[in-house]
Amino acid sequence: MAMIFTLVTTLTENIESLIAERIAFVQKAKDREAEEAEARENAKFHGEKVTRESFMRWREGFRREIEARNEERVRREAEMKGKGGGKREEKMTGKELWERGMVGKEVEEEGLEEGVEALKVG
């Protein structure tokens, strides 16, 4: 009976160690995948080293892009003026209206009830 107990105990220990090894292997694989994913994620932040030459190339391209945008804007504005769309009336701001005395001096008669006359205070 002691021999069977020894065999069962040995097999149980071996099975437990085998299961532990498999769990460790799976965990290592998951860790490796996570590290690779993190390395790919961090690779986004490591771009081209900025040197004087690379900056000058970028700057020249950027200036060409801005110039093209400005030319496009000027062309669109010229088209709008040619169509008559450039002569729209500019709206004045509230401050400008107030400074010119165009608001604030009106007497509101809409709120008066019937039969009540507007009183002049003077």
Side-chain angles (χ1 to χ4, degrees), residues 52-112:
R52 180 168 175 75
E53 292 79 25
S54 65
F55 175 74
M56 295 305 280
R57 280 193 312 268
W58 172 84
R59 182 175 162 197
E60 188 63 33
F62 180 73
R63 285 186 174 176
R64 273 186 265 138
E65 181 182 335
I66 295 298
E67 186 177 317
R69 285 184 186 175
N70 287 340
E71 289 174 1
E72 177 67 22
R73 182 181 49 82
V74 167
R75 187 184 59 77
R76 275 189 273 124
E77 287 176 357
E79 287 178 5
M80 292 297 291
K81 285 182 181 178
K83 292 179 181 177
K87 297 233 175 188
R88 8 174 248 205
E89 187 176 319
E90 295 290 328
K91 291 186 177 181
M92 295 184 357
T93 64
K95 182 178 179 182
E96 291 171 342
L97 289 171
W98 182 80
E99 287 174 344
R100 293 184 183 181
M102 300 176 135
V103 283
K105 294 183 181 177
E106 298 176 9
V107 176
E108 293 185 21
E109 296 184 14
E110 295 174 7
L112 298 177

